[in-house]
């Protein structure tokens, strides 16, 4: 970016990153998805690259095409797209579109696994569990990590601009292997957190004469500790996967079910 032949400065790159991140999900639509956000993010940088009005309009129309990937990973692709257009001008438009189309799927797999599943599952669960114990440290760590990742996303855009094409090309087939490994790790963490985060206690007691047999401690825990939390987690995952209910509907359904069962004494604290 310090090359005197380049048209874009570090400020231009950071401005493009900020504008895209600010609008990435705010103007999302079901026709071209993140296309409008891409145009909004890059339009000032593209104006510097294409001083000719016709070239500028052609570039904007090209960037306005369908685009959808994890917003973090998009920073790599959009930074690389700017570098391609800065180098070859309007001659690069077809290559830019092909590059974005070919890479947004594989990078979405990585981004969705790390950003939307692994990171919030692990850190969010730890922060929530510490909060349940009255310890604010988890919430503070969660806040600091999000601030750190905000600046990291700017860095990703810069990396995309300087070496994004080379980076995603070199990774090639390794991206899918990495995604699979991260998915396995995420599922392992989720499984380990279920007993400590999801709490279900059956309050019913089987009684015959003077003999009392608590169902939770003497039956369910004997079969498998945290059996009910595991079954509830599986049921929720199945509902989410079936797409018959939204996440909000599932949350309210679990709350209502818990209140009703608690009222009749089936569940206890």
């Amino acid at each position: 970016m310090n090359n005197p032949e380049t048209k874009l400065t570090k400020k231009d790159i950071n401005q493009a990153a900020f504008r895209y991140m600010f609008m990435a999900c705010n103007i999302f639509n079901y026709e071209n998805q993140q296309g409008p956000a891409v145009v909004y993010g890059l339009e000032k940088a593209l104006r510097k690259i294409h001083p000719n009005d016709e070239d500028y309009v052609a570039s904007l129309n090209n960037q306005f095409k369908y685009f959808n990937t994890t917003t973090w990973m998009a920073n790599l692709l959009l930074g690389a797209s700017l570098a391609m257009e800065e180098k070859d001008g309007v001659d690069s438009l077809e290559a830019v579109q092909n590059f974005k189309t070919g890479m947004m799927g594989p990078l979405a797999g990585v981004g969705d696994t790390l950003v939307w599943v692994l990171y919030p599952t692990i850190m969010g669960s730890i922060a929530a569990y510490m909060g349940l114990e009255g310890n604010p440290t988890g919430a503070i760590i969660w806040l600091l990590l999000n601030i750190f990742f905000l600046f990291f996303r700017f860095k990703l855009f810069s990396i995309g601009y300087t070496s994004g094409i080379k980076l995603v090309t070199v990774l090639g087939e390794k991206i899918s292997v990495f995604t699979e490994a991260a998915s396995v790790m995420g599922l392992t963490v989720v499984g380990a957190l279920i007993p400590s985060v999801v709490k279900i206690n059956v309050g019913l007691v089987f009684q015959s004469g003077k003999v009392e047999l608590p169902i939770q401690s003497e039956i369910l825990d004997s079969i498998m500790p945290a059996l009910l939390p595991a079954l509830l987690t599986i049921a929720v995952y199945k509902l989410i996967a079936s797409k018959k209910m939204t996440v909000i509907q599932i949350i309210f359904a679990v709350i209502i079910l818990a209140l009703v069962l608690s009222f009749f004494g089936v569940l206890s604290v």
Side-chain angles (χ1 to χ4, degrees), residues 143-154:
L143 178 62
L144 292 176
L145 280 173
N146 278 282
I147 294 173
F148 166 76
F149 284 131
L150 174 63
F151 289 99
F152 180 67
R153 291 176 69 182
F154 280 97

Side-chain angles (χ1 to χ4, degrees), residues 230-247 250:
L231 293 176
L232 176 63
T233 303
I234 293 171
V236 170
Y237 267 88
K238 289 287 186 182
L239 285 173
I240 294 174
S242 70
K243 297 182 179 180
K244 293 180 180 179
M245 296 177 67
T246 66
V247 174
I250 294 172

Side-chain angles (χ1 to χ4, degrees), residues 169-184:
T169 304
V170 170
L171 284 176
E173 296 179 356
K174 296 179 182 178
I175 289 179
S176 59
V177 177
F178 177 75
T179 303
E180 260 188 72
S183 299
V184 172

Side-chain angles (χ1 to χ4, degrees), residues 13 38 46 63 66 79 128 166 173 177 192 197 231 246 248 252:
I13 301 302
V38 172
L46 293 174
Q63 295 290 355
Y66 179 91
K166 180 181 178 182
E173 296 179 356
V177 177
V197 176
L231 293 176
T246 66
I248 300 299
F252 278 107

Side-chain angles (χ1 to χ4, degrees), residues 212-234:
E212 293 185 351
L213 185 66
I215 293 178
Q216 179 68 54
S217 58
E218 298 296 331
I219 299 178
L220 295 177
D221 288 346
S222 297
I223 298 172
M224 187 183 85
L227 173 62
L228 292 181
L231 293 176
L232 176 63
T233 303
I234 293 171

